[in-house]
Every structure is written in structure tokens, then in C-alpha cells.
Amino acid sequence: MERGVFTANEIDSVLESMGITDRTAITRYGSGHINDTFKVDTSSGKSFILQRVNTAIFDPQAQELLKRVLLKVTSFLKSKGVKTLDFVAYEAPWRLYSYYGDCTVNEVVVSPLQAYDIGRAFAKFHNDLSDLPPPRLEEVLPKFHDTLERLKALDEALSNDVANRAALVADELKFVEKRRAQAGRIVSLMASGEIPERVIHNDSKINNLLFMRDGSAVIIDLDTVMPGSVLSDFGDMVRTATASAAEDEADLSKVYSKKEYFEELSRGYISGAAFLTQAEIDNLVFAGQLSTFEVGVRFLTDYINGDTYFHTSYPEHNLVRARNQFKMVESLEENAEEYEKIVKELFTKK
Ligand code: ADP
Ligand code: GN1
Ligand code: MG
């Protein structure tokens, strides 16, 4: 979908209702696929992030639920002294947070050390939320990482074929069919209780992490924090933090998973994730393949649906992303044996 179009007057009236009357500049910000994000500068020198939550994905009831969950999660993190999103105002679907300027946001990892830092940061996030007080965190977007549901959505998109694109994706569908049988593995292991439910981020891609100049990291984009398996988060880290290129790189010869990044990412995550059970450990490598496959399926589905979910910048954008993700899946499959060895060694060294 196209990003939302808002006039300066509209944005100013939102800001005014939030008590901001001295703005000097409003600029589109970041490259998130879901929300409309703006940086707001003011004459006092303080800057903010103004965000409109995507109302096509979060209906009014989900918006209220989201707000409750976010305030619970961020106030809990703050009570532990963890730097997190700092809400200045929240008038659903709009919200304003303090802008963290002293940081960088990456689309692709630039060094093995950075991959290590990402692993460490999400292990800390999992630890920080491991004692979130009951009740069980409400699910704003249920079945978010139910890969079988994602495949059902693909099947539905194909049978509706509203954009007449089904005929254009025969190769991609073949790719999906070859892997359909293994797509329910983590969902089944969770249903049987073999893999525990924990509070996770659910969208642990690299650009949802701010690398602060002091060496620390702040995890943002908390809209999907829900109960789930840490394997979904580790998988999405493998998808984005071991990738040699951005997820919409169209030249597939440039797209593959980098072993040295996988090693450091895993080292960072495992060194902080003492809570991992054997069943979780056994599925770390597979989780990378599955999360990447799942996102590829979602991009493909959105392409077939005529681009109604993810922000796109050109008509083939979702198809390019899907192909890119499937190339990444192939690379992860090729590297699987070696990645299993790396994980095993990291545990024997511990
Ligand atoms: P989306 O859900 O659309 O991905 P995000 O919440 O991830 O939206 O925000 C989009 C981008 O905006 C992030 O990738 C990051 O670059 C930037 N961003 C978001 N919040 C902040 C913040 N508080 N300080 C600095 N940059 C931010
Ligand atoms: C979306 O919002 P963003 O860009 O951080 C999506 C994730 C996908 C990701 C793929 C709420 O994340 O689930 O994995 O795109 N977020 C939502 O890049 O659907
Ligand atoms: Mg984001």
C-alpha cells in the first residue's frame, strides 16, 4: 500500500492536541513497512517521532488494545531502568515519542561485531520481559507467526486473484510447495508444549533496533510484543542480520546469508540466553529458514492481493522482496549443516 498522505495542517492539529505548538520541521522518517512515521523538530531544540499506526491493520479495538499493551510493556521496562520507547502522548491512532538522535539504524549489518550486538540486545530483551507480571499479555495480532495461517492466506489470495497476478508467480509457488510440509514445525512444537511460550518481540528485524553512540542498543517498534516462541525472534534476526543485502535487493546474486554474521549473531544471542531449552536450541538453525520463508510468503501474498498490507514504492516491490527472501531461504538451507555445527560448538564452549 501507498504511505498515507497528510497535510502539514493535519499534522499540526494532531501536534497541537498533544501540546506541541512550536514545531519547526516535519519530515517523513525511517523505512518501516507498516506505520506512517515523521520526525518533528521544535524551536526548543527537542525532537520527536510522530507516528500514525496503520488503521488498515489495527482496527479501532486493536488500537486501544495496542495502546494498553505498549504502556504495560514500556512502563515495565522503564521500571527496570531499560531504555525503551518513551511515549510523550498517545491519542490513537497517533502517538508521539521522544526522538533518539544519538544513534544509527541499519538495513544491513556492517560488521560481525554488529551481528553479535544484535544477538545480545534481543537476548537481553527476552530476559527483561521474562518476568512481566500476569495476566498473560494480550495478543494484538493473534497468530502472527503461525506459518500455516500465513500459507492459508496465500492460498486464499491465489483463489481470489483480485489483481490478476497469480499467473505471474508460478516459480515462486513451486518454491513454496516444496517447503509446505515443514512449515508447521514450530507451531506444532508450541501446541504440544515442547517449545515454551515466552514474551517476545515478534518483529526483530535489524531496523527495529537503534544502535546508540555509547555502544548500547534500544529496541523499538514494540507493536507486536506478544506471547510467542523466541525462535520467531531468533529466526527474524537470522533473516535480517545475516543477510548480505537489503530485503528488497533485486539482484539476487547479491543475496545470501553470511556465515561470519551467523556465527557472531548466534554467539551474542546464546551468550545472553541462558534460559534456552534443548528443544529451542535444536531448532535455532531451522528457525532462520522458517522465519525467512514466512516473510517471503507474506510478501508474495501481498503481491497477489494487489499490495494491500506492506508499504510499497513501485508495483513489483512485493514480488522483488518475495524473490529476495526465497533466495535467502535457499542460502540458509545450503548453510544449514555448517550453521548447526556453529551452534553446537557455541554450546560446548559455554
Ligand atoms: P514501522 O512499524 O512502520 O516499522 P517503526 O516504529 O519501526 O515503524 O519506525 C520506523 C523507523 O523510524 C525505525 O526503523 C527507525 O528508523 C525510526 N524510529 C522510530 N522510533 C524512533 C525513535 N524513538 N527515535 C529515533 N528513530 C526512531
Ligand atoms: C513489517 O513494521 P516493520 O517494517 O518493522 C512487519 C513484519 C515483517 C517485516 C518484513 C506488523 O515490519 O512482520 O516481518 O515488515 N510488521 C507487521 O520486513 O506486520
Ligand atoms: Mg519497524
Side-chain angles (χ1 to χ4, degrees):
M1 70 161 52
E2 304 280 311
R3 285 179 167 77
V5 179
F6 304 96
T7 64
N9 277 347
E10 275 173 281
I11 293 184
D12 276 333
S13 72
V14 172
L15 286 172
E16 213 173 297
S17 74
M18 293 174 162
I20 308 294
T21 51
D22 61 341
R23 71 98 180 156
T24 50
I26 306 169
T27 26
R28 277 259 171 208
Y29 205 73
S31 53
H33 295 342
I34 304 297
N35 298 318
D36 284 299
T37 306
F38 305 88
K39 176 169 177 262
V40 175
D41 299 317
T42 66
S43 53
S44 72
K46 190 165 165 50
S47 296
F48 301 92
I49 287 283
L50 177 71
Q51 203 168 52
R52 186 175 188 275
V53 180
N54 192 320
T55 49
I57 297 172
F58 299 88
D59 66 20
Q61 217 182 329
Q63 295 276 350
E64 283 310 310
L65 179 54
L66 176 62
K67 181 175 170 181
R68 271 206 307 281
V69 167
L70 284 172
L71 296 179
K72 176 172 173 171
V73 168
T74 54
S75 61
F76 180 71
L77 290 172
K78 276 189 202 167
S79 75
K80 290 187 158 188
V82 176
K83 195 161 177 169
T84 184
L85 285 178
D86 175 38
F87 290 96
V88 176
Y90 202 134
E91 295 175 15
W94 291 93
R95 61 205 181 182
L96 190 72
Y97 354 90
S98 303
Y99 171 72
Y100 293 129
D102 215 13
C103 66
T104 55
V105 178
N106 290 41
E107 297 299 322
V108 179
V109 164
V110 295
S111 70
L113 180 61
Q114 195 172 58
Y116 177 88
D117 287 343
I118 294 168
R120 281 294 290 197
F122 277 99
K124 181 173 184 303
F125 186 81
H126 292 155
N127 280 312
D128 285 340
L129 289 176
S130 63
D131 56 347
L132 188 72
R136 180 176 183 265
L137 202 56
E138 295 171 279
E139 289 177 89
V140 184
L141 300 171
K143 300 193 183 240
F144 196 70
H145 281 301
D146 186 330
T147 318
L148 297 178
E149 288 293 319
R150 298 297 188 183
L151 285 168
K152 238 192 242 173
L154 170 65
D155 295 339
E156 240 169 73
L158 281 170
S159 69
N160 296 335
D161 196 16
V162 291
N164 291 317
R165 286 173 164 180
L168 307 174
V169 297
D171 289 347
E172 288 69 29
L173 294 176
K174 262 188 232 153
F175 183 93
V176 171
E177 286 320 309
K178 276 197 195 140
R179 289 155 184 87
R180 193 183 277 268
Q182 60 186 27
R185 182 149 133 201
I186 290 177
V187 187
S188 317
L189 288 170
M190 283 197 83
S192 65
E194 283 162 87
I195 285 182
E197 179 181 281
R198 305 180 191 277
V199 175
I200 65 158
H201 187 280
N202 276 303
D203 189 5
S204 49
K205 66 193 247 191
I206 173 172
N207 71 11
N208 286 331
L209 202 151
L210 311 178
F211 294 101
M212 309 305 289
R213 222 93 47 213
D214 67 4
S216 65
V218 179
I219 290 175
I220 60 160
D221 200 349
L222 306 178
D223 294 341
T224 49
V225 174
M226 288 181 283
S229 164
V230 290
L231 292 171
S232 299
D233 279 358
F234 185 75
D236 215 49
M237 283 180 247
V238 172
R239 177 179 82 80
T240 58
T242 78
S244 57
E247 70 182 8
D248 63 353
E249 171 59 58
D251 178 351
L252 297 184
S253 69
K254 292 185 181 156
V255 180
Y256 56 93
S257 172
K258 292 179 107 164
K259 291 174 196 165
E260 66 272 30
Y261 289 2
F262 178 83
E263 181 159 5
E264 290 312 307
L265 173 76
S266 303
R267 193 191 306 281
Y269 185 70
I270 289 168
S271 69
F275 52 77
L276 287 174
T277 65
Q278 194 57 48
E280 288 172 319
I281 294 167
D282 291 345
N283 283 284
L284 287 169
V285 173
F286 175 69
Q289 297 166 29
L290 187 68
S291 296
T292 310
F293 175 73
E294 184 185 288
V295 172
V297 165
R298 292 175 64 197
F299 286 143
L300 183 63
T301 304
D302 201 32
Y303 176 69
I304 298 166
N305 279 337
D307 309 318
T308 61
Y309 187 93
F310 297 105
H311 288 159
T312 48
S313 305
Y314 56 95
E316 308 302 307
H317 205 164
N318 272 317
L319 181 59
V320 165
R321 287 169 174 154
R323 288 180 175 154
N324 172 306
Q325 294 299 288
F326 290 165
K327 173 70 198 304
M328 192 60 194
V329 170
E330 275 172 354
S331 173
L332 288 166
E333 289 170 348
E334 277 162 26
N335 294 352
E337 212 171 299
E338 231 169 305
Y339 285 9
E340 293 289 2
K341 257 191 227 154
I342 290 172
V343 168
K344 205 165 169 200
E345 255 174 51
L346 288 170
F347 279 98
T348 37
K349 273 191 212 143
K350 266 186 99 180

